Amino acid sequence: MVDLSLLQYMHPVLQALFAGVFTWLMTLTGASAVFLIRDVDRLIMDIMLGFAAGVMIAASYWSLLAPSIEMSLQNGQLPWFPAMVGFLLGGLFLRIIDKLLPHLQYGRSRNASEGIKKPWKRSTLLVLAVTLHNIPEGLAIGVAFGAVAGGGYPYATLSGAMALTIGIGIQNLPEGTVVSVPLRRDGMSSLKSFLYGQSSAIVEPVASVVGAALVILVRPLLPYALAFAAGAMIFVVVEEMIPESQRGGNAPLATMGSMVGFSLMMVLDVAFG
């Protein structure tokens, strides 16, 4: 496991890369549950989805939108404008990917696949659905570390970027399980289910490097980029994660899972940010 305390001595792009690798390793750890269990009760799945959604909602505000507003204010801009524009563009970006990328949500039949219709296996479509979730998470991590490199912003701190990384890593644990275990239940071997499950997060180190490099090269985009990552994450939460957690008849407990996830991410960001 990566020692996050070493990040302070690295170049910001390398910081983002190692943070993305950390979150991928957390997904890999969650996916390894497939070697111990063949199935997970729907109630547990719904609570885990709710928990992950709560973490992403809290991270979107505390780690991304609030710093975006403060940076805009410090730069003499309308404090709400970059946050609003970036937030909406992030949602639009994910909407476009959602319409184009073939994917299938957990618990849905093969005929309910979304995006451009392709004759791909159900397992491939399930992995692509979670990969879609991981793109904004990687971007958020990269932008957070890139913001620290910009300097001069008291609300962009290394400890805050590390708190965001830890929060996303924690919610990636159940996410890896949510991908790998259903594949095992559908008849795929344990090893293949594990490999598919962990592969859904490989995009996070890539997206984190892209996010960090972009905001370092184009510093004025920083408030927009922070809000963009927040908008992309909120789109995923509202469009897929929360509705899916409510479909199985476990809405009260799934909602409490969201509350716990939000509270944990809020504590991480406020205490260490």
Side-chain angles (χ1 to χ4, degrees):
M1 193 80 54
V2 178
D3 183 357
L4 294 179
S5 67
L6 297 177
L7 290 175
Q8 59 184 316
Y9 303 110
M10 300 177 184
H11 186 276
V13 173
L14 275 179
Q15 291 176 339
L17 173 61
F18 275 88
V21 168
F22 169 78
T23 58
W24 164 67
L25 288 174
M26 294 294 278
T27 302
L28 182 148
T29 303
S32 67
V34 76
F35 294 111
L36 303 175
I37 56 177
R38 187 183 178 91
D39 199 2
V40 176
D41 185 77
R42 176 67 198 229
L43 171 62
I44 302 301
M45 286 285 196
D46 289 343
I47 293 174
M48 289 193 297
L49 281 171
F51 174 83
V55 169
M56 291 178 70
I57 292 171
S60 296
Y61 176 73
W62 297 101
S63 298
L64 300 169
L65 281 175
S68 171
I69 292 170
E70 294 297 338
M71 288 176 187
S72 300
L73 189 62
Q74 186 174 330
N75 291 339
Q77 301 171 295
L78 287 173
W80 52 266
F81 184 77
M84 180 191 72
V85 171
F87 185 82
L88 293 176
L89 287 177
L92 178 62
F93 172 72
L94 257 290
R95 174 58 178 163
I96 292 171
I97 293 182
D98 188 60
K99 292 292 288 184
L100 296 178
L101 181 70
H103 60 285
L104 178 67
Q105 298 304 317
Y106 164 75
R108 306 289 179 89
S109 67
R110 175 64 179 77
N111 295 331
S113 63
E114 302 175 57
I116 297 174
K117 301 301 179 182
K118 295 286 185 180
W120 294 345
K121 293 181 179 179
R122 170 182 166 84
S123 56
T124 301
L125 295 173
L126 284 169
V127 171
L128 286 175
V130 182
T131 300
L132 178 65
H133 298 176
N134 288 330
I135 292 173
E137 293 175 10
L139 286 174
I141 291 170
V143 170
F145 281 100
V148 178
Y153 294 116
Y155 294 91
T157 64
L158 181 59
S159 58
M162 290 168 63
L164 174 64
T165 300
I166 293 170
I168 289 178
I170 290 172
Q171 68 96 25
N172 275 5
L173 272 170
E175 198 169 78
T177 305
V178 166
V179 180
S180 62
V181 171
L183 296 178
R184 179 73 181 96
R185 188 189 59 228
D186 288 348
M188 188 178 287
S189 69
S190 297
L191 178 59
K192 197 170 182 181
S193 299
F194 166 74
L195 293 175
Y196 268 83
Q198 61 82 31
S199 68
S200 64
I202 289 179
V203 69
E204 288 201 14
V206 177
S208 64
V209 168
V210 171
L214 180 63
V215 297
I216 290 173
L217 292 173
V218 191
R219 191 168 181 268
L221 289 180
L222 184 51
Y224 295 90
L226 287 165
F228 181 94
M233 288 210 293
I234 291 297
F235 178 90
V236 169
V237 169
V238 175
E239 202 267 341
E240 294 181 355
M241 297 181 74
I242 288 180
E244 187 59 40
S245 73
Q246 307 282 312
R247 285 181 65 243
N250 303 305
L253 289 176
T255 301
M256 289 307 301
S258 298
M259 300 290 289
V260 172
F262 185 98
S263 299
L264 175 62
M265 186 65 234
M266 179 177 62
V267 169
L268 281 173
D269 196 272
V270 174
F272 300 106

